Amino acid sequence: MRRVLLALLLAGAASAEPRQSGFELMSPGTQAMQRDDSANPGMLWVEEGRALWDSTGCASCHGDVARMRGVAARYPAWDAASGGPTDLAGRIAQCQEARQHRTPFPRESAEALALAAVIGLQSRGMPISPPEDPRLAPALARGEALYRERRGQLDLSCAQCHDANAGRHLAGSPIPEAHPTGYPLYRLEWQGMGSLQRRLRNCMAGVRSEPYAYGAPEYAAIELFLMRRAAGMPLETPAVRP
Amino acid sequence: MPRTGSAPSRRMPLARWALALALLLAGGAAAEEGIPSLTGQPGDPARGRAIVTTRQRGLCLLCHAGPFLEERFQGDLAPSLAGVGARLTEDQLRLRLVDGRRLNSETIMPSYYRTEGLVRVGPAWQGRPILTAMEIEDVVAFLLTLKH
């Protein structure tokens, strides 16, 4: 964890309350799996993403994927086309559609996750730095409202678990503070890679509420709020979670 | 946002009557008196135990711990259920299950017999309370046995 601490110091992320990545709540074995690139299953998606970056033509506009350094740390960003925030997956799909005139890889497909993973990796260790863009303010407020709204048959809000009860246990599982530091990530329970939207859908279904469709503006709004809340924390993509 | 209706009461005329009466009588401070039986029939503590300890039915042990040695993963978000049958009366226990929000509007404990005022309930759960009136009675009967 020295690397993460260092990153925090360098970022000067002097936030009032100490914040904790879900990483800190994991068993030493799962932590080791995330730390070691040769054991981290997420690296398989990264490698596929690297190949797709070249084979599907991203490189022809952007050059080496290393030039994507810092990008994942500042999403969701303002998107003029939709007049709202777009997440990184949305931006990738837009490049494919508008510039390459091809059908984008569907959200949550192996290809879409692979491209997001290799781009995310370029920002690993960098502090989350949401854009200071006043046009995003309404979506940010909407995201916070959604985070605090009770939902589902169990009538629970995200805040009730992730602010009021973080660190306690829901049955056997420790409740993390819900920082979106590691996405897309490999989750042992899924036996696969998943986006932040997949995670949010799991939490929504968990309180027996109806998740929004993939790509719905509600997710970008919630992500915007979560990234603001996690500003300064280092990105971990591709993380591992239990 | 879609809101759910109150379908369960249609299937449960007696329960509806009892609940309406309890609501009328309760109205604030009197809520501490609790809620009388939803069915007029005594619950079955053995069935109640099964509901409490079956994660997907009662969900209780997601948050609570209690004297259930066979259950490995119990929550620590809520007071232990041990001794709850000595601390609270039957009607007080029922109130906490039916709608604990009437005592503490901020509580994370779900209201097990409320279908109004909910947001974006999943299709599989719409219009249904978490537990039926009879299941509530079974759980209450079981909780009353937890004297220590």
Side-chain angles (χ1 to χ4, degrees), chain A residues 142 146 149-156 160 165 167-172 175 205 208-213, chain B residues 55-56 59 61-62 73-77 101 105-108 110 114 118-123 125 128-130:
Chain A
R142 173 98 205 279
L146 289 167
E149 177 177 45
R150 289 180 163 186
R151 63 182 66 237
Q153 192 192 38
L154 304 190
D155 203 22
L156 287 167
Q160 280 180 295
N165 286 292
R168 300 214 182 107
H169 294 79
L170 189 69
I175 302 180
R208 300 182 177 177
S209 82
E210 191 178 355
Y212 308 100
Chain B
R55 224 164 280 276
Q56 287 309 314
L59 311 165
L61 301 188
L62 289 179
F73 298 112
Q74 306 187 9
D76 61 8
L77 308 181
R101 304 260 155 109
S105 64
E106 296 299 308
T107 188
I108 59 165
R114 174 164 68 84
L118 303 176
V119 172
R120 276 193 85 83
V121 175
W125 318 104
R128 298 166 42 196
I130 305 172

Side-chain angles (χ1 to χ4, degrees), chain A residues 108-158:
Chain A
E108 228 53 29
S109 63
E111 292 87 352
L113 292 169
L115 279 173
V118 72
I119 294 171
L121 176 72
Q122 309 310 312
S123 302
R124 187 163 68 174
M126 294 178 71
I128 289 177
S129 321
E132 301 290 343
D133 186 332
R135 291 170 300 180
L136 293 170
L140 181 62
R142 173 98 205 279
E144 174 159 14
L146 289 167
Y147 182 80
R148 302 197 184 286
E149 177 177 45
R150 289 180 163 186
R151 63 182 66 237
Q153 192 192 38
L154 304 190
D155 203 22
L156 287 167
S157 70
C158 318

Side-chain angles (χ1 to χ4, degrees), chain A residues 86-91 93 104-109 112-113 195 197 214-216:
Chain A
T86 183
D87 64 357
L88 185 58
R91 172 68 77 222
F105 298 129
R107 272 191 189 261
E108 228 53 29
S109 63
L113 292 169
S195 67
Q197 293 196 8
Y214 272 113

Side-chain angles (χ1 to χ4, degrees), chain A residues 34 72 116-118 120-122 124 181-185 193 235-239:
Chain A
Q34 173 173 326
V118 72
L121 176 72
Q122 309 310 312
R124 187 163 68 174
T181 45
Y183 293 84
L185 56 70
M193 200 78 167
L235 271 186
E236 300 166 41
T237 309

Side-chain angles (χ1 to χ4, degrees), chain A residues 34-118:
Chain A
Q34 173 173 326
R35 275 208 206 92
D36 176 359
D37 282 351
S38 65
N40 183 338
M43 292 309 281
L44 297 173
W45 276 261
V46 167
E47 288 321 316
E48 189 191 340
R50 209 183 288 286
L52 287 169
W53 179 266
D54 294 326
S55 68
T56 69
C58 315
S60 62
C61 280
H62 295 287
D64 195 283
V65 68
R67 290 174 56 191
M68 290 285 122
R69 187 173 155 72
V71 170
R74 54 177 167 77
Y75 267 77
W78 176 256
D79 168 38
S82 66
T86 183
D87 64 357
L88 185 58
R91 172 68 77 222
I92 297 169
Q94 224 175 52
C95 266
Q96 295 186 300
E97 205 158 23
R99 301 200 190 147
Q100 298 186 299
H101 309 291
R102 54 173 296 165
T103 310
F105 298 129
R107 272 191 189 261
E108 228 53 29
S109 63
E111 292 87 352
L113 292 169
L115 279 173
V118 72

Side-chain angles (χ1 to χ4, degrees), chain B residues 54-118:
Chain B
T54 309
R55 224 164 280 276
Q56 287 309 314
R57 282 184 76 198
L59 311 165
C60 315
L61 301 188
L62 289 179
C63 299
H64 291 273
F68 317 108
L69 293 179
E70 76 281 15
E71 291 297 322
R72 276 181 62 225
F73 298 112
Q74 306 187 9
D76 61 8
L77 308 181
S80 167
L81 294 178
V84 81
R87 289 198 295 279
L88 297 166
T89 67
E90 179 185 327
D91 290 3
Q92 287 173 334
L93 286 169
R94 193 177 289 106
L95 168 60
R96 281 155 180 80
L97 281 164
V98 166
D99 189 7
R101 304 260 155 109
R102 284 188 239 160
L103 297 174
N104 171 10
S105 64
E106 296 299 308
T107 188
I108 59 165
M109 170 133 167
S111 301
Y112 277 82
Y113 200 65
R114 174 164 68 84
T115 52
E116 297 85 34
L118 303 176

